[in-house]
Every structure is written in C-alpha cells, then in structure tokens.
Amino acid sequence: MGAHLARRYITETDTEPDPARKYEFDPQLGFDERKEREMVANQEQMNLAQLPLEQRDYCAHHLLKLMKCKRDNWPNFLACKHERHDWDYCEHQDYVMRMKEYERERRLQLRKKRIEAQAEAA
Amino acid sequence: MRTSHSVRQRPSVNMAGVGFRRWAQALCRGNGSGISALVSGCRAASGVSKGSLPGPYPTTPEEKAAAAKKYNMTVEDYEPYPNKGEGYGDYPNLPERSQHERDPWYQWDHPDLRRNWGEPIHWDFDMYIRNRVDTSPSPVSWSSMCKQLFGFIGFMLFMFYLGEKFPSYQPVAAKQYPYNDLYLEKGGDPEKEPEEVKHYEI
C-alpha cells in the first residue's frame, strides 16, 4: 500500500507508470493470443435503463439484471443478493484486471530500461 | 306647603373640554414664545439645567475645576480633548476602554451598562457597550495569535499544493469502457467513424 507512490516519486521515477498517460506498449506484446473483452449489454438496452456513463462498463449486463430484480421485488430490499453478488464479482474481476494491466505496464517499462542499459553497456 | 324645587340638573360636562378651554385661554394670555408656550407653561425637573450642558474649551484652572465639577470628576482626573477645533469643547477625554473591561461582579447601578449613576459618559459610549466594540485584552499576545493562525493556514496551503503536485492514487490502470470508450454516449458525432479502441482480458 503506497509502495508504488514511493517508486513513482522517489526511487524509480522514470519507469513507474503514470496513471494520467496512456500506456505505450502493444497490447499483444508477450501474449500468444489475447481474447477480446466481450460486451453483453447493448447500447439500446443501456439507454433504455438510463444508466449513468460510469456504470456503462463491461459488467453492465449484471447491473441491468440487478435493477430489474430490485424493481420486481420492491419493497423486499433483501431479495436480490444473488444478482448483487454477481455484479459485485464482475466488478471485482474488472478491478483485478486493472491491477494486472498496471503491473504489466510497469514490468514492460523495467524491461525496456534493462534493454536500453544493456545496449548502452555494450 | 313647600314648593318643591326641581333639582336643577346641571348638564353633564366633558372635563376634557373644560381643560382644553382653559388651556386655550392661557395660551392667548401667555407671554411665552415658540413651542415651549404651546406645550406647557413650566418645565419638568427632569430636563437639562442650564449649567450642565458641555461648554467651550477650558483655558484657566478655574474653568477646568468648574468643568470637572460639572462632569462629576475630580480635577486630577479631568482632562479635556486637545483644542484642535474638532468641536469637543470641554468634554472630558476618558480612556478608550469598552464596558467589557469593567468588573462584572461589582454591583453597578446599571448592571447591563456597567455604569453608576452620575458617572461621566464616554464620548463613544454607544460604541463601547457590551454588545459592540470590545477593547479587552486578548488571552495571548497579538503577534502570537497571528503567527499561529497564518502559520496553520500557510502550512495547510503548502500541503494542498504538494497534494496537487504529487497526487496519491491506486496502482491500477484506467477503467476500460466498451463501444470505443462510449464514443456515442459521450456525444460523439454518429456520422463520423470513431477511432477503434479494443480492450482485452488479462
């Protein structure tokens, strides 16, 4: 917790990824084949549900199921635990993917630096 | 046989009307002038007497003593305002202290004003009442208070500046959105082709 900040501002200021900037490495680098993320809910459905922009991510289909369940079961607010868990789990997996992307970028930066250092030493 | 007198009934008289008539008569007869004549022929004892109003700046010691007596002060305490033509006359120059500084536990004649009967009234007494300007000393010296306040504010501003320069964030990549980063939802032109944004699982 916070080691990345120490790396970014103090120790490895040139290799630690900057969240404000776009990641520069090719997404396929290092993978044999990469599966694309598939979006289940289509735009029309999201528009009809009037989802705010922040919630129109790759877990929106779980959210739409949850909203329907809540609306059907009102006033029983304890009814949609399963749907809520599905949505939460999907969001959790999305967050873990974000962490992995950050780490991938960081390691690629370090690798790039090592290669450059080797090239200079040579 | 006695003749019975009918008791002569006096017609009922409006006493206010009688008073009004007498007043009108006195007015015509009276030798006063202006409003004092209209209002009353004599003054109440609560009015200001001739010798108690402020007068011109005292120059001789006798005038000073008289002025001190007029204002219920001792001659040693009495000190008029400097004679710069500002119109103070012989009014005493009392110390600029508000009523907050007076003893709250003493039994003043007027407890709210913290003043005794007959005490000389400050030129700015209405400013120095307890609801208004307070000249009482601060618990800590002024310089110390200033240092503490501006020190704290300056420190906070400096820390906020540092927070802007070196923001804290979680070590995660940006959130990925579908449909070319929600090109249409964010108001993109439907005619134009957006740039392709692909996201992959990891």
Side-chain angles (χ1 to χ4, degrees):
Chain A
M1 288 294 291
H4 64 288
L5 294 174
R7 279 199 301 262
R8 164 98 189 282
Y9 296 132
I10 303 171
T11 52
E12 295 155 18
T13 48
D14 46 353
T15 52
E16 193 69 13
D18 184 356
R21 268 187 289 169
K22 245 169 89 68
Y23 290 175
E24 56 178 86
F25 292 98
D26 175 27
Q28 304 291 348
L29 175 62
F31 291 96
D32 292 336
E33 51 171 71
R34 244 180 126 174
K35 191 162 161 286
E36 259 197 69
R37 283 183 92 165
E38 59 168 77
M39 182 62 190
V40 179
N42 54 21
Q43 287 171 302
E44 195 198 330
Q45 287 172 332
M46 293 202 286
N47 277 335
L48 284 173
Q50 296 174 339
L51 283 185
L53 287 181
E54 304 82 40
Q55 285 178 331
R56 294 188 192 212
D57 55 3
Y58 287 95
C59 299
H61 55 292
H62 291 293
L63 178 58
L64 291 173
K65 281 230 169 57
L66 172 63
M67 285 165 76
K68 176 166 169 45
C69 169
K70 280 186 83 67
R71 190 170 70 169
D72 291 343
N73 286 308
W74 194 88
N76 183 10
F77 55 87
L78 300 168
C80 299
K81 293 213 166 104
H82 186 76
E83 283 79 1
R84 178 167 277 128
H85 178 267
D86 285 342
W87 180 51
D88 277 343
Y89 187 64
C90 175
E91 288 284 356
H92 165 72
Q93 286 182 313
D94 178 76
Y95 195 78
V96 170
M97 276 195 249
R98 285 171 72 185
M99 293 201 289
K100 289 185 193 170
E101 291 280 355
Y102 180 90
E103 183 62 19
R104 173 175 178 264
E105 175 72 15
R106 189 183 139 254
R107 290 185 192 183
L108 286 172
Q109 291 275 7
L110 285 170
R111 175 175 170 273
K112 180 172 145 199
K113 191 164 172 214
R114 270 198 313 267
I115 294 173
E116 280 168 11
Q118 258 185 345
E120 251 181 72
Chain B
M1 182 168 118
R2 275 218 273 185
T3 55
S4 53
H5 311 267
S6 58
V7 176
R8 192 152 57 99
Q9 299 282 1
R10 274 243 206 91
S12 51
V13 176
N14 183 1
M15 288 314 291
V18 171
F20 184 82
R21 257 186 36 212
R22 294 222 179 108
W23 173 78
Q25 283 164 356
L27 190 60
C28 299
R29 245 180 285 127
N31 53 7
S33 61
I35 233 179
S36 54
L38 274 176
V39 174
S40 168
C42 58
R43 281 168 296 147
S46 59
V48 169
S49 55
K50 200 150 178 204
S52 68
L53 288 173
Y57 183 80
T59 41
T60 67
E62 293 86 26
E63 283 181 9
K64 277 208 163 76
K69 184 162 191 304
K70 181 170 71 178
Y71 291 115
N72 284 332
M73 299 172 77
T74 57
V75 184
E76 296 83 28
D77 289 339
Y78 173 75
E79 188 207 318
Y81 279 94
N83 192 13
K84 286 196 247 174
E86 291 164 330
Y88 288 107
D90 64 356
Y91 204 85
N93 187 359
L94 298 161
E96 303 280 330
R97 294 271 166 268
S98 74
Q99 301 303 86
H100 299 84
E101 293 195 43
R102 296 202 177 191
D103 186 359
W105 295 104
Y106 174 77
Q107 301 278 14
W108 301 97
D109 291 341
H110 300 290
D112 181 53
L113 296 172
R114 289 187 183 166
R115 179 182 170 270
N116 287 320
W117 186 86
E119 210 182 304
I121 301 181
H122 193 282
W123 186 267
D124 292 317
F125 80 97
D126 54 344
M127 183 171 79
Y128 286 133
I129 59 172
R130 284 164 62 208
N131 274 328
R132 295 180 180 176
V133 171
D134 181 4
T135 59
S136 45
S138 52
V140 195
S141 70
W142 188 256
S143 64
S144 173
M145 288 199 294
C146 280
K147 270 188 241 172
Q148 285 181 34
L149 177 65
F150 294 122
F152 176 73
I153 291 178
F155 174 72
M156 292 309 292
L157 286 175
F158 175 68
M159 292 307 284
F160 282 132
Y161 169 72
L162 281 187
E164 288 294 321
K165 262 229 96 207
F166 304 110
S168 166
Y169 56 95
Q170 293 293 44
V172 286
K175 195 162 161 77
Q176 294 171 339
Y177 287 97
Y179 302 119
N180 303 320
D181 277 342
L182 299 176
Y183 174 77
L184 290 173
E185 284 84 345
K186 288 184 185 168
D189 190 359
E191 311 294 320
K192 284 206 276 238
E193 273 297 317
E195 60 173 82
E196 275 291 316
V197 181
K198 279 188 191 290
H199 297 300
Y200 301 94
E201 288 186 9
I202 182 167

